[in-house]
Amino acid sequence: MTAFTGNAEDILTQLETDSGTGLTGAEARVRLEKYGENKLKEKKKKTVFQRFFAQFADVMIIILLVAAAVSFVLALMGILRGDEGADYKEFFEPGLILLIVVLNAVLGVVQESKAEKALEALKSMSAPHARVLRDGHDAVVNASEVVPGDIIRLEAGDYVPADARLIAANSLKSEESALTGESVPAEKDAKYYIEPGVDPKSVSVGDRHNMLHSGCAVTAGTATAVVTATGMQTEMGHIAGLLAGERDGKTPLQKKLNSLGKYLGIVAVLACAVVFIIGKFVNQMAWLEIVMIAVALAVSAIPEGLPAIVTIVLAMGVQRMAKKNAIVKKLPAVETLGSASVICSDKTGTLTQNRMTLVKGYVVGEEESEDISDNNSRAVKKMLSYAALCSDGSVNVSDITGENEYIGDPTETAIIKAAKDNGTDKNVLDKRYRRVAEIPFDSDRKLMTTVHKIDKKFVVIVKGAYDRLEHVCSAGVAPKVRDMCDFMSSQALRVLGIAYKTYDKLPQAVTPENLETELTLMGLVGMIDPPRPEAKEAVRVCREAGIKPVMITGDHIITASAVAHDIGILREGEDVMTGARLDALSDAEFAEKVANVSVYARVSPENKIRIVKAWQQHGEIVSMTGDGVNDAPALKAADIGCAMGITGTEVSKESADMILTDDNFATIVDAVRDGRGIYDNIKKVVSFLLGSNIGEIFTVLAAMILFHATPLLSMQLLWINLVTDSFPAIALGVERVDKDIMRRRPKPKSEGLFAGGLWVKLVFMGVMFTAITVGAFYLGYCWQDGMRFDWLAVPSSGGGNLKAAQTMAFIVLSVSQIVHAFNMRSDRSLFVSNPFGNHFLDGASLLSAGLMAVVVFTPVGIAFGVIALSWQMYLSALALSVVPILVMELLKLAALPLRRKKYNRMK
């Protein structure tokens, strides 16, 4: 028998406790030893050192470390042997490589410093103290010392310290929206009874009216209950267990960059092998010379700045998104959001306003109901005034913000707000028509009664559930009223009836039997937690972008369906599924149905994870939005979790990858747009850097074969990769988002970073860079002085000016890549739009060119092996450097028909 089935006496017997005296102190200590403290456990976290060393488990980093080690050993051997020109400056190169690797590791640790705090947030939600019955007396103990079998006492404002079965309750309500998703506090009933034979799995948390749950707050009434579960055995603890069981998966971008690193590592190893074979067995080169070329080749194959630049681009994108109310906690998650093909969203507080609002009013005798506004009919205004008098909540204007402050039960504040909008202030009503008696609401009667002195008469006002109210009205109720109630209910409205009667003299006994009889029904009011105004448009844009919106809520199926239909999530032919129905399906059966289900109602945390994972098994990238504790496991299991910043619990915020600070579903649309734009820009950055790296690899191989020498020193390659290329690459990362980006379908999960023939384009760019760089190298190799060249200075002749050749190759490769950055802005011609429209790129290019000039024209160049050339040579280098503009413009012109076909298909 579970805690919520059977009667309370059976539970007390099962737990071996007494509701009158509670546990003894000795027994409580025994049980504390047996069950453990009433705390939530958390998994062991990695230390800072473990995280730091984990950063080195990357193929690109390992290759760089090997290159640094080889360079260091060679420099050390040269010094020990006393080689000519060998000094401690030779350690500059391996030191620089090592510095780059360490800085990359530190950056990774900083990024991962936002470690898991979800379990700590869950702990903070637990009550720090509890009032228990021990040895027949009330005692206040630490919440961690509460044990199963303890009798606890609660009142409005208390947090529940552990899961407990009600023994006695008076007008009890508990705020359980964080667990169930319901916006209205749950009414609790100690007498509520579930037959022991009922399958416990079929009874959701929201339907356990005789239970209180750990971490939830009591909003009204008082209660005595027996603790049935503590710590990890509570519903809150179960969620904590789900959180601990979910691993943080890598985002698609992380996976692609990791895969890229492995491929580049293989390329570097193969290239070094080719260099060794050709150099040793074909060109008969010295061993030391071959090793130096291999080091240069390894450095050229690795885009050292890529991880840092991608991180910077993501960080800049995050800053832009933060200005639009979307705070991203984990940088790579930006790209994931842009790739999202399914958005699973909670209803309460996410798609709706999480505030009950009166929308319909019906007065008995009228033909139709009225929409509640700020100028309703006199009859509706009177009914709202009576309903406000029979309410305990309040709506006041804040002196600080000037906005309404809602205090009390959401149902009552909705009534008071509607009355206030119609010119009737509850504070004024209370002073004018003083309340002289009342009968509080309770879950048995489902009615609330107040008595007021109005026009020298005692007016009894009763509000509550219509199905109870119609039976205590004097002349019965016309079928029209019942039809109107059914119609409002079918629209997912919560319907309350308002009735009254008058006395010249109030009965001596203020009891339901005396006052709640022979009433006159005034009418009905219907209220709902309304959709956010922006939600409908946001859903429409999501569908246009090829994203499937799915509502997942703990609310009732009628309410969920009505809201989903209203905002466009639920369309004709699509299915609605309850958690109970989902539980009855096998994984295979559910996999067949999941694509057509748009709304899930009355679901559990396990259901939410199962839904998310079912979509993931279909190859979809799933985003989950939510604000409650019940959303936290699914937020973590999803490819990207989006928590609400205002109404969201700390648990959901810490579990999520992104927080929407305005709790606005429409913010997701901007976030998706920015995510797609950032991914497009990252592809531009990767293409730009890899095209350059491929050009460097081909250049080194070609020069080695033709000239038996390396055209670029390792230091020069590092300068190009980390300095000359980095600033334009970062600037490409902030390129404006394509105006048609939200008209594309999400890219498939299996789509690689180089889809759409990008590898072919990269190889083409590499060949282009190789041609102009090797040409520049040969020009320098043959240069004597001024404009004199020895065109026969080839390897076979034993001549050639190697330093001049390397200087020319260095200048041309560096400047041509700066120029090429402008080609990478768009697939469209540079001359169709403003070629200098990206001011960040303009500034970055000038900065890179300036730094390059410092190396070429100042003594700094000595450290990079650069020598002075004639002005004619510098002019030749500049002419070769602008060749990529001409080549890429011709390529774009040739690809124009294909691009037009692509955009027509996209539309």
Side-chain angles (χ1 to χ4, degrees):
M1 181 172 61
T2 58
F4 52 86
T5 58
N7 57 52
E9 291 301 323
D10 293 335
I11 302 300
L12 289 167
T13 302
Q14 182 178 327
L15 292 170
E16 299 180 357
T17 188
D18 187 283
S19 60
T21 60
L23 299 174
T24 64
E27 177 62 22
R29 287 190 290 274
V30 171
R31 296 192 183 194
L32 186 62
E33 184 70 25
K34 177 181 179 181
Y35 296 106
E37 289 190 324
N38 182 27
K39 292 181 177 179
L40 302 179
K41 296 178 182 178
E42 61 180 337
K43 59 185 178 182
K44 189 176 181 181
K45 296 178 181 178
K46 289 182 179 179
T47 66
V48 173
F49 291 106
Q50 287 174 322
R51 291 198 190 110
F52 178 78
F53 288 112
Q55 306 300 317
F56 295 91
D58 182 275
V59 176
M60 291 193 291
I61 300 300
I62 292 171
I63 291 174
L64 282 178
L65 288 173
V66 171
V70 171
S71 183
F72 177 84
V73 170
L74 291 176
L76 183 61
M77 289 174 60
I79 292 174
L80 293 176
R81 287 198 308 264
D83 293 348
E84 183 180 352
D87 58 29
Y88 289 99
K89 293 179 182 178
E90 301 296 327
F91 293 113
F92 182 66
E93 180 179 310
L96 182 61
I97 296 175
L98 189 61
L99 178 63
I100 292 164
V101 170
V102 172
L103 286 176
N104 183 73
V106 171
L107 190 62
V109 172
V110 170
Q111 185 177 329
E112 290 181 6
S113 63
K114 298 170 184 176
E116 285 300 326
K117 295 180 182 177
L119 294 169
E120 293 176 9
L122 280 167
K123 280 186 175 183
S124 69
M125 290 187 66
S126 299
H129 295 93
R131 188 155 58 102
V132 301
L133 189 62
R134 294 269 175 91
D135 296 312
H137 303 286
D138 283 347
V140 176
V141 300
N142 290 330
S144 61
E145 298 174 6
V146 171
V147 296
D150 260 329
I151 306 299
I152 58 174
R153 301 191 190 279
L154 298 160
E155 59 186 23
D158 288 344
Y159 268 95
V160 182
D163 284 4
R165 169 65 184 265
L166 288 172
I167 300 171
N170 181 25
S171 302
L172 185 66
K173 292 185 181 181
S174 176
E175 173 56 61
E176 296 182 344
S177 63
L179 277 175
T180 66
E182 296 213 36
S183 55
V184 178
E187 297 176 10
K188 296 298 180 177
D189 183 1
K191 298 177 182 177
Y192 185 77
Y193 186 86
I194 298 175
E195 294 291 341
V198 174
D199 183 5
K201 294 181 180 179
S202 67
V203 184
S204 67
V205 172
D207 292 327
R208 299 172 190 174
H209 305 303
N210 53 14
M211 291 290 296
L212 292 172
H213 296 288
S214 174
C216 296
V218 175
T219 60
T222 60
T224 300
V226 57
V227 172
T228 57
T230 59
M232 297 299 291
Q233 302 305 312
T234 63
E235 287 296 324
M236 192 77 76
H238 184 45
I239 291 175
L242 293 173
L243 283 170
E246 289 302 320
R247 293 185 177 180
D248 286 327
K250 290 185 177 180
T251 68
L253 180 61
Q254 288 174 314
K255 294 174 183 177
K256 289 164 189 171
L257 289 178
N258 286 344
S259 177
L260 173 63
K262 292 176 183 178
Y263 288 134
L264 290 175
I266 294 171
V267 168
V269 171
L270 290 177
C272 290
V274 170
V275 166
F276 178 79
I277 293 171
I278 295 175
K280 187 67 178 175
F281 300 106
V282 177
N283 296 335
Q284 303 296 316
M285 296 172 66
W287 170 256
L288 184 60
E289 191 175 359
I290 294 174
V291 172
M292 290 303 295
I293 294 175
V295 169
L297 195 60
V299 172
S300 68
I302 303 300
E304 293 85 359
L306 181 59
I309 291 172
V310 168
T311 300
I312 292 169
V313 170
L314 285 170
M316 294 174 75
V318 165
Q319 290 176 352
R320 293 199 305 273
M321 294 174 72
K323 294 177 181 178
K324 300 178 183 179
N325 301 310
I327 297 176
V328 177
K329 295 168 55 187
K330 302 172 184 177
L331 295 183
V334 176
E335 175 263 341
T336 317
L337 182 65
S339 306
S341 53
V342 178
I343 295 180
C344 297
S345 173
D346 186 40
K347 177 184 73 68
T348 305
T350 308
L351 293 165
T352 65
Q353 299 176 27
N354 199 21
R355 179 173 295 136
M356 297 299 289
T357 303
L358 217 63
V359 294
K360 290 287 184 181
Y362 172 73
V363 176
V364 175
E366 298 293 330
E367 287 297 317
E368 300 293 338
S369 62
E370 289 184 34
D371 292 333
I372 298 299
S373 65
D374 58 359
N375 189 26
N376 286 109
S377 65
R378 181 177 297 178
V380 169
K381 287 181 179 180
K382 182 178 180 180
M383 179 174 64
L384 292 176
S385 297
Y386 273 43
L389 283 168
C390 189
S391 298
D392 289 329
S394 64
V395 178
N396 302 312
V397 178
S398 171
D399 294 332
I400 300 174
T401 64
E403 297 179 354
N404 289 325
E405 292 182 337
Y406 298 83
I407 303 171
D409 184 272
T411 299
E412 295 191 335
T413 57
I415 293 171
I416 295 166
K417 175 67 165 54
K420 187 173 183 178
D421 289 344
N422 275 272
T424 304
D425 190 301
K426 177 171 169 56
N427 294 327
V428 176
L429 285 175
D430 288 340
K431 292 177 181 177
R432 184 179 299 172
Y433 308 119
R434 185 172 53 87
R435 184 184 295 185
V436 297
E438 65 179 295
I439 304 175
F441 175 89
D442 68 50
S443 54
D444 290 331
R445 295 166 30 250
K446 294 190 180 298
L447 300 173
M448 175 179 177
T449 299
T450 58
V451 183
H452 303 265
K453 194 73 175 291
I454 302 176
D455 297 332
K456 298 182 180 180
K457 291 183 178 293
F458 293 99
V459 178
V460 178
I461 305 173
V462 182
K463 81 173 193 303
Y466 175 72
D467 59 349
R468 298 296 182 92
L469 198 59
E470 67 177 341
H471 297 299
V472 294
C473 290
S474 57
V477 178
K480 173 70 177 177
V481 181
R482 166 51 66 182
D483 292 342
M484 184 59 66
C485 180
D486 291 342
F487 174 74
M488 287 186 179
S489 297
S490 70
Q491 301 300 304
L493 301 184
R494 185 180 186 188
V495 182
L496 295 180
I498 313 298
Y500 74 100
K501 70 177 180 179
T502 60
Y503 285 102
D504 291 325
K505 183 179 180 180
L506 195 64
Q508 188 171 1
V510 179
T511 62
E513 291 75 19
N514 287 337
L515 300 188
E516 294 173 357
T517 58
E518 302 296 314
L519 299 171
T520 299
L521 184 67
M522 293 187 75
L524 308 172
V525 292
M527 61 191 72
I528 195 172
D529 181 9
R532 290 181 173 274
E534 308 87 352
K536 190 169 187 177
E537 175 64 12
V539 169
R540 185 196 68 78
V541 174
C542 282
R543 286 194 179 278
E544 187 178 38
I547 300 169
K548 165 84 172 179
V550 178
M551 178 189 288
I552 305 179
T553 179
D555 214 337
H556 292 282
I557 191 169
I558 295 176
T559 304
S561 299
V563 173
H565 185 271
D566 184 30
I567 62 178
I569 285 181
L570 182 62
R571 300 190 296 188
E572 187 175 351
E574 295 178 338
D575 198 6
V576 180
M577 185 177 290
T578 62
R581 181 181 162 200
L582 173 56
D583 288 333
L585 296 175
S586 66
D587 288 340
E589 291 171 331
F590 181 45
E592 293 178 1
K593 297 178 181 292
V594 68
N596 194 50
V597 181
S598 294
V599 178
Y600 297 87
R602 304 303 270 177
V603 296
S604 66
E606 296 93 331
N607 292 148
K608 293 187 177 188
I609 295 177
R610 192 177 174 195
I611 294 164
V612 168
K613 290 188 174 180
W615 277 110
Q616 290 172 331
Q617 288 170 4
H618 278 260
E620 305 293 346
I621 294 180
V622 184
S623 172
M624 168 72 183
T625 68
D627 61 356
V629 175
N630 63 326
D631 295 322
L635 285 172
K636 193 174 179 186
D639 294 287
I640 181 165
C642 306
M644 301 298 114
I646 299 174
T647 59
T649 61
E650 288 302 311
V651 180
S652 65
K653 292 176 188 177
E654 296 301 333
S655 298
D657 303 290
M658 185 175 79
I659 300 171
L660 306 178
T661 60
D662 60 352
D663 284 16
N664 194 336
F665 184 82
T667 302
I668 297 174
V669 177
D670 284 335
V672 169
R673 179 178 179 275
D674 286 338
R676 290 186 176 188
I678 289 169
Y679 183 73
D680 271 8
N681 288 342
I682 286 175
K683 284 192 72 172
K684 294 173 187 176
V685 171
V686 172
S687 301
F688 172 67
L689 293 176
L690 290 188
S692 301
N693 280 96
I694 291 173
E696 292 165 12
I697 294 172
F698 288 175
T699 297
V700 171
L701 286 173
M704 192 203 70
I705 293 171
L706 296 174
F707 302 102
H708 300 186
T710 175
L712 294 154
L713 301 176
S714 298
M715 285 298 301
Q716 293 172 343
L717 289 167
L718 280 172
W719 178 264
I720 293 171
N721 289 352
L722 292 171
V723 180
T724 308
D725 287 353
S726 294
F727 297 116
I730 292 170
L732 283 172
V734 294
E735 187 69 38
R736 285 196 203 95
V737 177
D738 193 312
K739 61 182 179 180
D740 293 323
I741 203 163
M742 288 302 284
R743 297 173 63 187
R744 306 178 194 169
R745 295 193 65 79
K747 60 183 179 60
K749 195 170 187 177
S750 58
E751 181 179 296
L753 195 61
F754 303 100
L758 183 58
W759 266 122
V760 176
K761 187 176 179 180
L762 291 177
V763 171
F764 177 85
M765 288 190 289
V767 171
M768 175 185 68
F769 284 125
T770 300
I772 60 176
T773 306
V774 171
F777 182 82
Y778 179 65
L779 193 64
Y781 201 81
C782 298
W783 180 66
Q784 298 295 308
D785 61 72
M787 283 299 290
R788 289 194 311 111
F789 296 90
D790 179 8
W791 300 108
L792 297 179
V794 292
S796 59
S797 67
N801 190 337
L802 182 60
K803 285 292 184 182
Q806 290 174 336
T807 300
M808 280 290 288
F810 180 45
I811 294 171
V812 170
L813 187 57
S814 297
V815 178
S816 64
Q817 289 179 6
I818 295 172
V819 170
H820 182 59
F822 289 88
N823 289 324
M824 300 302 299
R825 286 186 58 203
S826 171
D827 289 336
R828 301 179 179 89
S829 170
L830 265 178
F831 306 105
V832 171
S833 58
N834 181 5
F836 303 107
N838 184 341
H839 299 308
F840 291 101
L841 182 58
D842 300 339
S845 299
L846 288 173
L847 177 60
S848 291
L851 291 171
M852 189 65 197
V854 170
V855 172
V856 173
F857 299 114
T858 71
V860 174
I862 297 173
F864 291 86
V866 173
I867 65 170
L869 303 173
S870 66
W871 67 268
Q872 294 95 337
M873 292 296 286
Y874 289 129
L875 194 61
S876 300
L878 184 61
L880 286 170
S881 298
V882 298
V883 168
I885 291 286
L886 302 176
V887 173
M888 294 305 295
E889 283 298 314
L890 290 174
L891 184 65
K892 290 178 181 179
L893 183 63
L896 187 60
L898 290 175
R899 192 171 68 251
R900 284 176 177 168
K901 183 177 180 181
K902 172 187 172 183
Y903 276 94
N904 289 334
R905 186 168 63 248
M906 180 185 71
K907 294 177 182 178

